[in-house]
Amino acid sequence: MINKTVQENDIQLDNKTVLSVRNLTVTYDTKAGPLDTVRNISLKINAGEVYGLVGESGSGKSTLARAIVRYLPANGRVSSGTVLLSGTDLMKLPMSEMRRIWGAKITMVHQDPGAAVNPSLPVGEQIAEVARVHLRMSKAEAREKAIEMLTKVRMPDPKSVMKRYAHQLSGGMLQRILIASAMVTNPQLIIMDEPTTALDVTTEAVILDLINELMKEYNTSIIYITHNLGVVARMCDRVGVMYAGELMEEGTIRQVFKSKLHPYTRGLLGCVPRIEASKSDVSLSSIPGFIPRPDQLPAGCIFAPRCSLVEGACMASRPSRVEAETGHFTACRRWEELKQKPELYTDAQQRREGSERIEGPLVLEARNVKKYFSVSGGLSSLWQRGPIEVKAVDDISIRVRGGFTMGIVGESGCGKTTFARCISGLDEATSGEIILEGERLPNTLLKRLPSQLKKIQMVFQNPDASLNPQHTVGDSVTRPLVLLGKLSKKQVQERVRELFKAVNLPEDYIHRLPHELSGGEKQRVAIARAFASDPTIMICDEPIASLDVSVQAALMNLLVKLQESKGTSYLFISHDLAAVRYLSDWIAVVYLGRIWEVGSAEDVFMPPYHPYTEALLSAIPIPDPDVRQERIRLVGSVPSAVNIPPGCRFHTRCPRKLGKICEEQEPTWQHVNEFHSICCHIQLDELRALQGAGSIRQTDNPGEVS
Amino acid sequence: MAEIETLQRHNMSTPSKFSIVVKKILRRPTTFIGIAIVLFFLLLAIIGPYIAPYPYSAQNLAEKLQPPSEKHIFGTDQFGRDIFSRLIVGSRDVFVVAGSGTALAAFLGLLVGLFSGYRGGIIDEIVMRGMDVILSIPPLLLAMVILFSLGPSKVNVSLVVGFLYIPMVARVVRSVVLDLKTRQFIEAAKLRGESSAYILFKEILPNVLPYLAVEASMRFSYAIFLVASLGFLGLGVQPPSPDWGLMVGEARNWFHQARWVLYFPAGTIALLVVGVGFMSDGLRNMLLPGGVSDD
């Protein structure tokens, strides 16, 4: 085992190295003085290698990537260090030279494909433009090149896509356009900044496959920035774990994910719910505290204040980067102890004794809920007969039992949020019955009695929009108590303090305004507010989707804890299957406004599955490089809810489509057991056999996945 | 573990709100200059009549159209009245007429914008198209038409200013309401059964106020200008009251003999308008960080 402190001359360029970064420090000039947001980073990327940069938000991943290509905002600069691209020092090049490198030798793929494509130019033109500028091609040649690239990224019907505009393409298609235009010049390095974060999990899986295939073909190197450990495990050859502007651990994917020689890596991995884990078995680990701000860095190890392995020496001086094995670096002083005794800082999630119950009183029942939105068709409505309707929710029935969590999963646009809003009354259901504790609720919010209102509360997705910025967070929690309860002023104050304690917020937060809180804290306040009226059922609409993994884990633990102590039922809506699996007792899989599979969480995640569930499951990125998943990919995106396909709604994308019957007849419910039902034409035994054996017919998906 | 998460927050020293505001003002010299100009004129408006060297209407035909001198630092007009004194005394009318007009517009515009935006639907459509009708007529023309029928007076001028600026304020308020309406804290309020009045005045209104303040300050600078224009046309404050616009209007006839008669009142108007403009820019930067101008 080599064990030495890395010095500059140790890093030598060999032929294979495409990018070599040495001691890079990025400084931002702020009003408070210069701030080093990225400090002393050294890394090497070889040809054909996918290098993952992973870390929570604010860890400096994007800043580092932008510094490498010298594309920093006006007040940012690289204050020291070198960046060698195939031996050329990029930091010394004049800006005019850099402009030639951008787009030719280094290209970028951004997070939000909708914003990265010019909406007023045909997409083909935007790809061709790169070829004209950087490859000096003629118009006709560039056009040919663009078609070639679109074919390479498996775009169906590239010639017609050439003429389309951004708004005519789905997010997944746009991301392919961006990848195509990033690859036109056959660059040495592509920087991908969260390229799939804005996409659905099914689309993400397809794009990740595509990137993987293209890399092998072109031998291009990639810096892949993401916060998703599962994506890193699936995509990358090597990974750097960033924290507060420094690399904490770096190595091959197996070195980092298996040996985990830095507590931060272990902490991050412990936060992610495993697909097989449920709240009754384990509680998630979480990392206490916050990423330090760049102007308030601790003197010693920057992770020390949040680390449970911290000792005096950790606080005294910044630990140096140590090479634990060949190519495996860690910035932890105690890595040797960690290696020998992994149990010191374990990322294993603590086992817990959860209550095992099946039955409970029926709390909420929704029968045949439908929600149609009528859309004005503009001029065409003049000659078209009948209103055009978006059938967002088309006949959904569920039952939620007291103290249980019903998880609702599906891709975006499948109607899960609209369904939840119909239950809460924020949207008025077009038809159907909502029955709460045996009492039929009016479909409109305005007709519901205060006593009915207080029983259904909601936690929303966006923590920034869910609190009134002008009210102190204490007021936000106080108001429902004043409104719904018959409590004296003193009792109200006491309850507010109790609620703040229940969501683990210190009491002095009561007088703060929302902008003084972090995203996770705001969401805690929103949870406290929802619990203030002691609801029977709480609807959680993607409450953790916009938060960092460590905050997600803490919030999920909190939700479980509150459910156990208060006996509240949850309707938990998410596209994150692992989170749904962890929190839910029951799961309903929704596609195009209807449920296709429903059952206890364990059953739904075990074969036989509905083919849609199967596809969702196989798309989940799992943070373990050794896990081999079935590869089932869905074609295209969810069809429009205006023209719902006849027969089985899923037949247009189903990888296991039987044939005519799926296109013509609506499938019927088949019952696997008392609690688990699937709505599909394929016989259960056949499904079980297919899925157990893992044989997947993909011949029906021309052009999508090879 | 989660228990600790929120406890370890950096202890930021929190300076007092006042010192933050002062710092913000000093950071932008234009804001500082703007506020200084406005405060100076406000002071004049209050104490003007007591410090003016001459009574504003004291005529002295022997000294008519005198150039600026030690005796009359801004010179005298066609009746031998001291221009400096008239400007000082006239500042009160500017603030009273333009100020009350703006306040009226802000108040009514706020109500219109709040209700129209919150109700939405056909009512919103009707109200906003009505506002568009007012906006489609050049303000000066409309003001003249109204004042011809009402008769020129200070009260009528403020009413006209108030009326003319309702649509601008209402549009700004409405657009903010439309944005706020879809936020989830409003939905949370509906879920706990709040009345529309509570949602409108307790949840939405506080978030509209910063926008209203910025818009009103901007309207104020336009109002000063409009009042001066009306005065210039003889439709505002009537002689012998020392109105700035009126002074410019009267000065037209004597301009070829005595340019200061025109320069000083016109310059004073410009100075105040620029001052208010700077101030409202500063206000925008302070209250609406990251916001973009809508004018």
Side-chain angles (χ1 to χ4, degrees), chain A residues 379-649:
Chain A
L379 270 184
S380 64
S381 60
L382 289 176
W383 59 80
Q384 262 170 359
R385 251 177 291 141
I388 299 171
E389 278 182 330
V390 176
K391 295 175 179 169
V393 175
D394 199 10
D395 202 356
I396 290 188
S397 306
I398 57 157
R399 289 153 159 248
V400 182
R401 296 193 175 273
F404 284 99
T405 302
M406 172 67 121
I408 296 184
V409 286
E411 290 167 281
S412 55
C414 70
K416 48 190 196 306
T417 294
T418 312
F419 174 66
R421 289 173 65 89
C422 287
I423 300 280
S424 69
L426 286 172
D427 279 335
E428 187 186 347
T430 313
S431 71
E433 291 174 31
I434 297 155
I435 297 152
L436 186 71
E437 294 182 318
E439 194 183 355
R440 169 91 197 264
L441 292 184
N443 286 356
T444 45
L445 197 63
L446 292 174
K447 289 197 188 136
R448 292 188 185 174
L449 304 171
S451 63
Q452 294 170 330
L453 283 172
K454 65 173 264 192
K455 286 183 187 163
I456 301 184
Q457 287 298 311
M458 217 167 157
V459 177
F460 301 92
Q461 173 172 8
N462 182 353
D464 297 319
S466 57
L467 297 176
N468 192 329
Q470 300 283 342
H471 293 183
T472 65
V473 294
D475 286 346
S476 291
V477 180
T478 309
R479 182 64 194 172
L481 292 170
V482 173
L483 195 73
L484 299 166
K486 304 165 196 82
L487 301 168
S488 71
K489 246 191 170 168
K490 221 174 157 200
Q491 283 170 310
V492 166
Q493 282 174 358
E494 199 146 300
R495 275 285 285 150
V496 171
R497 276 198 291 274
E498 268 172 42
L499 283 163
F500 269 72
K501 212 172 156 216
V503 296
N504 300 329
L505 284 175
E507 253 176 49
D508 61 308
Y509 272 47
I510 290 175
H511 303 292
R512 294 202 187 183
L513 285 169
H515 72 86
E516 296 170 88
L517 271 59
S518 71
E521 288 169 340
K522 280 183 218 169
Q523 210 59 307
R524 282 164 194 269
V525 176
I527 291 171
R529 179 180 63 189
F531 268 106
S533 61
D534 226 344
T536 318
I537 183 148
M538 204 165 88
I539 300 170
C540 306
D541 185 6
E542 307 243 15
I544 54 170
S546 58
L547 304 167
D548 269 321
V549 279
S550 65
V551 185
Q552 283 188 352
L555 276 179
M556 283 195 268
N557 284 341
L558 174 68
L559 284 171
V560 171
K561 194 187 93 189
L562 287 171
Q563 183 168 47
E564 284 185 349
S565 62
K566 303 199 185 254
T568 314
S569 311
Y570 294 151
L571 199 62
F572 187 82
I573 295 160
S574 180
H575 62 270
D576 180 352
L577 276 91
V580 170
R581 166 74 179 103
Y582 178 72
L583 282 176
S584 308
D585 303 288
W586 302 91
I587 292 178
V589 182
V590 179
Y591 182 75
L592 268 182
R594 208 171 266 187
I595 294 180
W596 298 96
E597 178 168 4
V598 64
S600 72
E602 278 158 50
D603 287 345
V604 170
F605 276 54
M606 295 250 254
Y609 330 95
H610 188 277
Y612 181 56
T613 318
E614 192 186 3
L616 287 178
L617 283 173
S618 86
I620 306 176
I622 293 175
D624 184 343
D626 288 344
V627 169
R628 286 281 147 253
Q629 283 169 281
E630 304 263 3
R631 239 182 60 148
I632 299 165
R633 300 292 180 253
L634 295 182
V635 195
S637 48
V638 185
S640 142
V642 178
N643 300 310
I644 289 176
C648 173
R649 294 172 179 212

Side-chain angles (χ1 to χ4, degrees), chain B residues 81 180 237:
Chain B
R81 294 177 295 195
L180 290 169
V237 181

Side-chain angles (χ1 to χ4, degrees), chain A residues 286 289-290 293 296 421 424 453 458 460 465-466 468-471 479 483 504 516 521 524 529 554, chain B residues 1-3 5-6 8-10 12 183-185 187-188 190-194 198 202-203 206-207:
Chain A
S286 65
F290 295 91
R293 298 190 341 188
Q296 292 169 336
R421 289 173 65 89
S424 69
L453 283 172
M458 217 167 157
F460 301 92
S466 57
N468 192 329
Q470 300 283 342
H471 293 183
R479 182 64 194 172
L483 195 73
N504 300 329
E516 296 170 88
E521 288 169 340
R524 282 164 194 269
R529 179 180 63 189
Chain B
M1 295 254 258
E3 279 78 356
E5 181 189 324
T6 45
Q8 300 178 334
R9 205 84 210 258
H10 330 285
M12 285 173 277
R183 303 269 183 99
Q184 274 111 36
F185 63 85
E187 302 198 319
K190 285 183 185 166
L191 275 183
R192 57 173 192 259
E194 298 283 8
Y198 179 90
K202 287 284 169 66
E203 298 277 356
N207 290 294

Side-chain angles (χ1 to χ4, degrees), chain A residues 267-318:
Chain A
L268 278 181
L269 282 166
C271 290
V272 186
R274 298 289 187 270
I275 200 71
E276 68 280 355
S278 123
K279 63 180 173 187
S280 54
D281 308 329
V282 295
S283 59
L284 303 174
S285 332
S286 65
I287 310 172
F290 295 91
I291 285 195
R293 298 190 341 188
D295 56 338
Q296 292 169 336
L297 291 176
C301 169
I302 49 171
F303 186 61
R306 302 175 75 185
C307 182
S308 61
L309 277 187
V310 63
E311 1 167 86
C314 296
M315 306 284 222
S317 68
R318 200 68 57 90

